[in-house]
Amino acid sequence: ADHGESIYQLVPPKVHVQPKPPMFKSKIPDYPPTASTFHLPGTSHPMLSNVGGTATQKPMQNKSHSNFGKAPGSYKSDPNSYMKKLAKSCSVPSLSEVRRSNPDQL
């Protein structure tokens, strides 16, 4: 709602930037979660781990070589080795060939 000229519009309001508080870091040690379904490969009980909540270290250490697949772009096919026309198809046999080789197919 523009009310025309006003003394409040002559002086722009001061912008108050609130300082950001420091990031919260818990004082509780970083224990693995109780009854977790993560970090289970290679265990004898594949459903849950740390059910009692007594683990103080990670059940499995981080793997430096783990990833989510090949590098981006490595799944691309080679543009020089594409499939040619009719490379995986065969010709349809004529009616006389079907009569000779497989008459019960008719």
Side-chain angles (χ1 to χ4, degrees):
D2 187 24
H3 297 293
E5 192 174 328
S6 172
I7 61 168
Y8 294 110
Q9 294 175 351
L10 295 176
V11 179
K14 292 182 180 178
V15 179
H16 178 66
V17 180
Q18 187 171 357
K20 198 172 182 183
M23 189 172 93
F24 176 76
K25 179 67 176 155
S26 175
K27 294 178 180 137
I28 300 172
D30 191 21
Y31 293 141
T34 304
S36 175
T37 56
F38 297 112
H39 50 66
L40 295 175
T43 63
S44 60
H45 193 276
M47 297 301 287
L48 297 171
S49 68
N50 193 19
V51 177
T54 57
T56 58
Q57 295 178 353
K58 289 183 176 182
M60 292 188 61
Q61 299 304 318
N62 292 341
K63 296 178 183 177
S64 61
H65 62 278
S66 296
N67 56 22
F68 289 105
K70 292 184 180 179
S74 62
Y75 285 107
K76 286 184 180 178
S77 59
D78 183 22
N80 296 327
S81 63
Y82 57 91
M83 188 185 306
K84 305 294 185 201
K85 180 178 177 182
L86 301 172
K88 291 200 172 190
S89 65
C90 59
S91 62
V92 177
S94 65
L95 182 60
S96 60
E97 290 175 9
V98 171
R99 283 183 184 152
R100 272 186 264 126
S101 63
N102 201 355
D104 56 331
Q105 189 177 11
L106 298 173

